[in-house]
Amino acid sequence: MTLPELTAGQFDLVYNLLSLAIAAMLASFAFFVMARQQLTPKYRPAMIMSSLVVGIAAYHYWRIFNSWEAAYELTAAGSYVASGEPFNDAYRYVDWLLTVPLLVAELVAVLALPKGRRGSLMGRLIIASALMVGLGYPGEVSADVATRVIWAVASTIPFTYILYVLWTELSKAAADNNEEVKGLLRNTKLLLLATWGFYPIAYAMPLLGVGGATAIVALQVGYSIADITAKCGYGVMIYHIARAKMAAEADAELIDTAVAAK
Amino acid sequence: MTLPELTAGQFDLVYNLLSLAIAAMLASFAFFVMARQQLTPKYRPAMIMSSLVVGIAAYHYWRIFNSWEAAYELTAAGSYVASGEPFNDAYRYVDWLLTVPLLVAELVAVLALPKGRRGSLMGRLIIASALMVGLGYPGEVSADVATRVIWAVASTIPFTYILYVLWTELSKAAADNNEEVKGLLRNTKLLLLATWGFYPIAYAMPLLGVGGATAIVALQVGYSIADITAKCGYGVMIYHIARAKMAAEADAELIDTAVAAK
């Protein structure tokens, strides 16, 4: 792909958003590492996974930022043109290959299910999400419309399976929680659906004839905002689920003690 | 060794896999550091060793990535040719010299054997694994077939000794664990055998007449995948062994308490 000429405003918008993403990921890493100690041990694995997700993303945004900077050079007229260095978009796919399975795993982990049930649910979701990302890549790097469509369809199969598992099995497994926890879980799943929904739209842009400077800027801005929401925001939601579950458990313990004292 | 010309696809595959290895090693480092606090103190040394292994590997993959980038330059035609800078493959051997003894030591450490038995087992395995790596290196850097074969044979002697110790003495030392722990231990040893088995195959490739662009790409891809599996995956297995042993101990404690209460 040859990189289109950008105005200084367009180049700077992407440049500053990529930097914002690095800052958000690093700060979230520090938050999740510390926040895990605000939780009882059984909820800590979910926070550990959250911290790995944003740690991995911080590394990749660092690389993407450097690659963006190297791929363009400022002209005397004040616009930005391709420098000849390639802009490596594969960093995003490598990132998703590692972080997307962790994102679904942390949603299962925060439920703190019995070991047998947790293992099966987590295993299937991890495999499906790695397949979803892996099958999308050959289409992403292809300029041929038919190839893009075929891999897009292939990638949609595991995506549909993930949504099915989250809205049926996972909801059932979480059925014995109180209304507050169930409400938070619902919102977390909707956040996941809304942010993950952006990626196929971005993927489809070349098919819809969107190209040039507008397309590349919209894509980088969109991916960055989606990643910050789906990783940092989502991890904060997971933290709140764990806190709500801890509060419910503390209430149950108080009731047990009161009943025993009667 | 002169570096062969690569297509952009070949160069990028190695480039992105080396970057993936850096991300995987860094994330695993954060994981093992935090996961150690999910374990009782006697299992923590195994997690500390795991974190050192992936920490050392993250450093070396960073160096290998930079060396790979510097060793090639993009031509106007879009292919990659040697830049004149050497590609330093010795980083891998330095890495293994430090990490391979730690990998066998963490398998002994997670068994939490009595001090006398642990020390002897660990000492012999550490020496044998350092010898295995050290004896392989003179063959790796030699272009002469006879030299490669001689050092390969020398290196195989400690390798065979390690396998012998793991499958006899270590199995005996772990005999008083429950079936779940023994199953996990067996899988961990098989993972070690399968991943370590790749290195001699890679080593033998020049002897088998495999060369050129395909050989260097296959070698770098293979080494990276083997390292991620043998270090990150293996460390996660060790964590699960520790958790399974803790669960067994907690059960035994509950039974003891119940018996004492009768």
Side-chain angles (χ1 to χ4, degrees), chain A residues 170-200:
Chain A
L170 193 110
S171 299
K172 228 182 289 168
D176 53 348
N177 284 291
N178 68 20
E179 284 311 310
E180 192 198 351
V181 173
K182 278 196 272 190
L184 283 169
L185 264 175
R186 197 166 38 241
N187 291 342
T188 307
K189 288 192 292 184
L190 289 175
L191 176 74
L192 188 147
L193 184 62
T195 51
W196 290 19
F198 176 77
Y199 302 102

Side-chain angles (χ1 to χ4, degrees), chain B residues 72-110:
Chain B
Y72 275 101
E73 58 192 14
L74 187 59
T75 63
S79 70
Y80 282 84
V81 293
S83 70
E85 287 273 320
F87 176 55
N88 185 11
D89 233 356
Y91 288 132
R92 293 202 181 274
Y93 272 82
V94 174
D95 180 76
W96 296 335
L97 198 61
L98 297 169
T99 56
V100 173
L102 279 166
L103 285 170
V104 291
E106 70 184 80
L107 187 57
V108 178
V110 81

Side-chain angles (χ1 to χ4, degrees), chain A:
Chain A
M1 189 182 66
T2 49
L3 294 166
E5 184 175 345
L6 301 179
T7 66
Q10 286 172 327
F11 178 84
D12 287 343
L13 178 62
V14 173
Y15 183 90
N16 287 313
L17 248 166
L18 292 174
S19 173
L20 186 155
I22 296 172
M25 298 299 172
L26 285 176
S28 299
F29 178 77
F31 173 67
F32 296 138
V33 165
M34 289 186 273
R36 95 186 188 284
Q37 289 175 317
Q38 302 291 105
L39 304 177
T40 47
K42 69 172 168 172
Y43 296 115
R44 290 183 190 168
M47 273 304 97
I48 294 176
M49 291 177 196
S50 290
S51 70
L52 301 185
V53 166
V54 291
I56 292 168
Y59 166 77
H60 284 117
Y61 268 94
W62 191 277
R63 291 277 188 209
I64 295 168
F65 179 90
N66 289 344
S67 183
W68 180 256
E69 207 179 13
Y72 274 101
E73 57 192 17
L74 187 60
T75 64
S79 70
Y80 282 84
V81 293
S83 70
E85 286 273 320
F87 176 55
N88 185 13
D89 233 354
Y91 287 132
R92 293 204 181 271
Y93 272 82
V94 173
D95 180 74
W96 295 334
L97 197 62
L98 296 169
T99 57
V100 174
L102 279 166
L103 285 170
V104 291
E106 70 184 79
L107 187 57
V108 179
V110 81
L111 294 178
L113 300 171
K115 208 177 157 191
R117 244 162 126 198
R118 185 182 66 215
S120 149
L121 209 53
M122 222 180 243
R124 284 177 293 140
L125 285 171
I126 289 175
I127 292 168
S129 52
L131 272 176
M132 177 180 77
V133 176
L135 290 172
Y137 188 65
E140 174 79 57
V141 293
S142 167
D144 177 47
V145 171
T147 313
R148 279 187 90 85
V149 172
I150 290 167
W151 290 106
V153 171
S155 173
T156 305
I157 299 168
F159 180 47
T160 313
Y161 177 73
I162 293 168
L163 295 184
Y164 169 78
V165 172
L166 292 184
W167 262 268
T168 59
E169 282 188 72
L170 193 110
S171 299
K172 228 182 289 168
D176 53 348
N177 284 291
N178 68 20
E179 284 311 310
E180 192 198 351
V181 173
K182 278 196 272 190
L184 283 169
L185 264 175
R186 197 166 38 241
N187 291 342
T188 307
K189 288 192 292 184
L190 289 175
L191 176 74
L192 188 147
L193 184 62
T195 51
W196 290 19
F198 176 77
Y199 302 102
I201 296 172
Y203 187 98
M205 281 206 295
L207 302 181
L208 304 171
V210 181
T214 312
I216 191 167
V217 172
L219 197 67
Q220 295 306 322
V221 169
Y223 275 156
S224 303
I225 294 172
D227 271 352
I228 293 169
T229 316
K231 292 179 164 103
C232 311
Y234 178 87
V236 171
M237 297 286 289
I238 296 282
Y239 174 71
H240 283 299
I241 293 173
R243 292 289 297 180
K245 280 173 70 76
M246 279 169 60
E249 282 157 9
D251 284 350
E253 224 167 85
L254 278 178
I255 293 168
D256 284 351
T257 317
V259 169
K262 275 210 176 146

Side-chain angles (χ1 to χ4, degrees), chain B residues 112-127:
Chain B
L113 300 171
K115 208 175 158 190
R117 243 164 128 195
R118 186 182 65 215
S120 148
L121 209 53
M122 223 181 243
R124 284 178 292 139
L125 286 170
I126 288 174
I127 293 168

